[in-house]
Amino acid sequence: MWAGRGGQRADPPPPVLQLSCLANLAALHGLQGDFALHPPDLLLFYNLTQVKGAECEAFVRRATQGDVELLASLPDQRAALRRTALACLGGPRPRLNSSDLQLLGALVCDMDASSIAAADPHVLQNLRCCRQLTAAQQAALDALLASGRTSLGPPGSWDLEGLQSLGPLAAHVRPGLWRQVPEVLRVVSAWGGRGQAPPHGGLLPRQPAGLRFFASTVAACRAGRLSQRDARRLVTGFLAARAVSSRPKRGTGGRCVRGAVSAATLQDDLFLARYDCAQLRFCLGSRVLRANLDPLLQHPLPAECQRVVKAKLALAYPRGLPEEQLRRITSLVYLYSLAEIRQWTITSRDTVVALLAADVALDNQTEAVMQKFLDHNGTLTGALLVAIGGSRLCWMSPRQIQTIRPSEFRLAGALDISACPQGRKNVLFAKAREAFGSARATAAYYRLMRPYLGGAPAEELWHLAQANVTMDIDTFTGLNPHVLQNLSLNNVTTLLGQNVGDLQRARSHPAISSWLSSLNTSALGELGIDKELAGPAGPGPSPAGAPPSAGPPVYVEEAASSGVLAPPRPRPSASLGSTGSLASSISGDSLGYTRPSPRPGLPLGQLCLGVLWEALGRCPRADRCSLCPRQHGRPPGVPTAGRGPPLWPPVAAAVWTPRSPARTSPEAAAPGPPKSAPPTPGPQGPRCWEVERRPERRP
């Protein structure tokens, strides 16, 4: 984070803005031919029509080592990359073999269900890279695993090693398939206990593999190495197999047969295998619940068990939950109605942050939680707004937004409000104008206002165009669609500047598609867009094409409960290009430094060492090495922390093993003057399906 003038909070440009800008400059200066020297993430944004046929396979192989999720806001570019990859293979194929899958990489995540089912069984390694799977893709995965064609063999022969090799895909195994795994059925139906926690965290000597896998998943969730959502999906499917295969004994209904839940049993990673939701209702006492709420909710409780705990809390606290307990029930908040929330007492900023953190309260619970805080003389500070995120502003009432003082809004700086409805964007734009309208320079004003321009009127955009501001495509697609229709071709080309080529990559966006359809053939020709391509891009080629919906697939959540409110859906990941950065693609002169003359022919790999912004002077300024993976001690194409396929913590930590011993230490990558020699392109790092796994060290 870097600070702007007057104490205003300013963030470095998001990676997508940098990458898109660099890609446009590379095409402008004829540098795409040096793609072997360029970071794989950068290749994702290149003009694919300039890729030569002879270099097609090499280009795609390197590009697919990048994080294709960076193209979330550019579905047309993602689809074009997939079509380019298939063209390298000679066109769509009825069955993709292992070498095809190696080339396609994470683009397999966009394949339809029939292509996944027909592909070589090695497709499992590709699917491990997918952050999301559609319902049809999950069904295809289930069918592929059930067929026994994979290296795991038929489900009846799965062992601990096989379960571990599934990695994050284990969370998508459905109950019907778990019931075919003898290890699972033997474990969950035969293992018992009489209220005493077994030693060693529940793992007894020679415990079956299925039980060990279940326990390791819960342990990873409790330790924070695995999200509650993924762990809950696996646990729910795992326990559903037990519910069908095992029947309760006669006379056990309506009473506790497992023994009272104690603090010791809650430390057992097999707690959920011992106490189903019915037993939890009868065996969990109020005193234990009040004293051990944290360890209980660390377990990935299925939705039914969560409702049991909510009912138990109502009995334990008949006068209402105390505020200190509200901070502990974050996984249960979605179960509470608005009427119940209005009975809470919220006086602390920490309580607001805990309740309104990402994936905790439902969107429509935001206003009720915030109002309880304001009713107790709470103040919406800049730090609080940053902590809860801009998406919560979308669900605050206009009256609540008006209570934010301009000074606090300035301290909050750039907040991502891209998911807000248009009416709320308009309100927030007015608030931003109130906070940032005193900025003297146009460049400084634009950097501060950029996240809020979705509510800007046409006059504001005309002013920015006349001021020579260069707008990125994410900001452009977030403009008010009705206002966008009032912009002329000259207005748009002036606003986008060097980024005008991104219209082609985002042409299926409704706002852009509508604006393009209003242009005649001559105007489209000036933009380099064919009349046939002015509308939304169709689905990729079949059978190895994309799912019918544009963009990446989405998770399929558990079925909504029968309560008043549905379980929270994970927030759609805001594209990195719309995360509320204060910087944008503004000319070097307007940013206060002199733009040097471009150096034609200079390889972009050399520019990445630090001379890129000074040499071309058009891209947002940020950490100079943010696009140079080798400068941070990781091979090109290897995801940084939090990127790439989710590793599966229950087994062991996955380690990226560089294939070259010569790596620059992080200390050596400190910002400084650029080195005189360009970097030597090293060997490719492993892809997400080539991770070498280090065995766990056991005591």
Side-chain angles (χ1 to χ4, degrees), residues 260-607:
V261 174
S262 65
T265 55
L266 290 175
Q267 297 302 322
D268 178 12
D269 292 329
L270 295 172
F271 169 73
L272 290 175
R274 303 179 63 202
Y275 292 88
D276 59 19
C277 299
Q279 283 296 291
L280 187 65
R281 179 180 293 107
F282 299 118
C283 301
L284 178 61
S286 294
R287 184 166 58 181
V288 173
L289 175 63
R290 286 194 296 265
N292 298 275
L293 189 57
D294 272 341
L296 173 61
L297 295 183
Q298 286 175 357
H299 289 271
L301 300 176
E304 182 184 353
C305 293
Q306 289 181 327
R307 289 190 287 272
V308 170
V309 174
K310 177 179 179 286
K312 289 279 185 180
L313 285 171
L315 296 175
Y317 298 101
R319 296 184 179 180
L321 285 172
E323 186 168 5
E324 61 269 16
Q325 295 289 51
L326 290 179
R327 303 170 195 167
R328 296 185 170 96
I329 64 165
T330 55
S331 61
L332 306 180
V333 172
Y334 78 94
L335 292 171
Y336 286 83
S337 68
L338 299 181
E340 290 173 316
I341 292 175
R342 294 188 184 104
Q343 303 302 315
W344 293 349
T345 298
I346 302 176
T347 62
S348 168
R349 169 189 176 275
D350 293 337
T351 305
V352 176
V353 173
L355 294 175
L356 297 185
D359 297 335
V360 177
L362 297 176
D363 289 334
N364 62 358
Q365 293 174 317
T366 303
E367 182 179 349
V369 170
M370 194 62 72
Q371 193 59 48
K372 294 302 298 181
F373 178 62
L374 295 175
D375 289 344
H376 289 85
N377 299 319
T379 302
L380 300 182
T381 64
L384 176 58
L385 295 177
V386 171
I388 63 176
S391 61
R392 291 296 182 184
L393 288 172
C394 303
W395 293 90
M396 290 168 57
S397 69
R399 183 178 179 182
Q400 291 174 341
I401 293 174
Q402 292 304 325
T403 65
I404 305 173
R405 293 194 293 266
S407 59
E408 297 297 338
F409 205 87
R410 284 194 292 272
L411 290 174
L415 298 172
D416 179 15
I417 65 167
S418 58
C420 291
Q422 188 59 54
R424 203 64 85 245
K425 286 183 179 180
N426 297 342
V427 173
L428 290 168
F429 173 78
K431 173 59 67 174
R433 278 292 299 267
E434 183 183 357
F436 304 125
S438 60
R440 296 180 180 179
T442 302
Y445 172 80
Y446 174 75
R447 290 198 303 272
L448 295 167
M449 290 294 298
R450 189 191 70 82
Y452 308 102
L453 291 178
E459 294 77 15
E460 179 81 6
L461 302 178
W462 293 336
H463 170 74
L464 293 175
Q466 293 171 0
N468 233 5
V469 163
T470 302
M471 184 177 289
D472 61 274
I473 194 66
D474 273 351
T475 302
F476 185 78
T477 55
L479 298 177
N480 186 331
H482 298 293
V483 172
L484 184 57
Q485 296 304 312
N486 293 325
L487 298 182
S488 66
L489 175 63
N490 183 61
N491 292 149
V492 170
T493 54
T494 304
L495 263 180
L496 291 177
Q498 68 199 33
N499 298 323
V500 71
D502 288 338
L503 288 173
Q504 171 80 3
R505 300 171 186 161
R507 67 182 183 275
S508 67
H509 188 281
I512 293 183
S513 175
S514 178
W515 182 78
L516 290 175
S517 64
S518 68
L519 302 180
N520 56 35
T521 304
S522 175
L524 291 172
E526 292 183 38
L527 295 174
I529 299 177
D530 295 333
K531 185 67 175 177
E532 292 76 12
L533 298 180
S542 180
S549 58
V554 297
Y555 274 117
V556 177
E557 291 298 308
E558 300 173 7
S561 65
S562 58
V564 177
L565 298 175
R569 290 172 121 7
R571 292 181 188 286
S573 301
S575 66
L576 295 177
S578 59
T579 52
S581 165
L582 295 182
S584 185
S585 304
I586 308 173
S587 65
D589 297 328
S590 64
L591 286 174
Y593 65 96
T594 304
R595 179 168 69 248
S597 301
R599 298 183 235 176
L602 188 62
L604 208 60
Q606 179 175 348
L607 295 178

Side-chain angles (χ1 to χ4, degrees), residues 55-65 81-82 84-90 93 96-108 126 687 689-690:
E55 300 174 338
C56 177
E57 185 170 340
F59 178 90
V60 171
R61 191 175 298 277
R62 182 161 180 79
T64 54
Q65 293 181 30
L81 181 62
R82 183 178 63 253
T84 300
L86 292 173
C88 295
L89 298 175
R93 301 188 180 187
L96 297 171
N97 57 39
S98 58
S99 61
D100 298 337
L101 295 171
Q102 283 284 330
L103 177 67
L104 291 171
L107 293 177
V108 170
N126 297 71
R687 300 188 182 187
W689 50 86
E690 297 172 345

